Amino acid sequence: MTIVEFLDARLYEDERAAHAASRATGGPQRARADVAAKRRILQSYTETYRACVAAMGDGSGQADGSDTWAALHAWRQALEHLAAIYDTHPDYDPSWQS
């Protein structure tokens, strides 16, 4: 299981549980907004990853003149921080620790 698949599954679970969020934590609307923000982070990582793979294919190592490798590394670190929230889950991979 990849870190993206792991996080996607956890976000799906969080989204299903959002309706039970208490007012003290901002209620269901805030819980759903949190899940949506994390999904956007996953999407941005996936897009950057694809840009890096495409750059490797053309031999340039860069896409659109930007340092996509540094961007990919930064996004990967963000995913590792998000995954750490679920470090007690049986599918969590300790190699994802930053």
Side-chain angles (χ1 to χ4, degrees):
M1 172 177 284
T2 69
I3 194 169
V4 171
E5 292 167 336
F6 174 80
L7 282 169
D8 190 50
R10 302 298 70 78
L11 291 175
Y12 177 74
E13 292 168 353
D14 289 352
E15 196 168 43
R16 285 190 0 231
H19 73 280
S22 72
R23 284 200 178 286
T25 62
Q29 184 176 0
R30 191 227 154 261
R32 284 190 292 273
D34 182 68
V35 169
K38 291 173 182 174
R39 284 196 187 285
R40 287 191 299 275
I41 291 169
L42 281 177
Q43 181 63 36
S44 293
Y45 171 80
T46 301
E47 290 169 4
T48 304
Y49 178 85
R50 288 181 182 142
C52 285
V53 170
M56 283 179 25
D58 69 16
S60 71
Q62 293 187 351
D64 302 323
S66 64
D67 188 354
T68 54
W69 293 110
L72 180 61
H73 179 70
W75 283 116
R76 174 62 187 218
Q77 284 184 313
L79 295 191
E80 290 169 355
H81 291 304
L82 291 176
I85 296 166
Y86 308 99
D87 66 351
T88 60
H89 191 279
D91 291 335
Y92 179 80
D93 185 339
S95 72
W96 297 333
Q97 293 177 343
S98 297

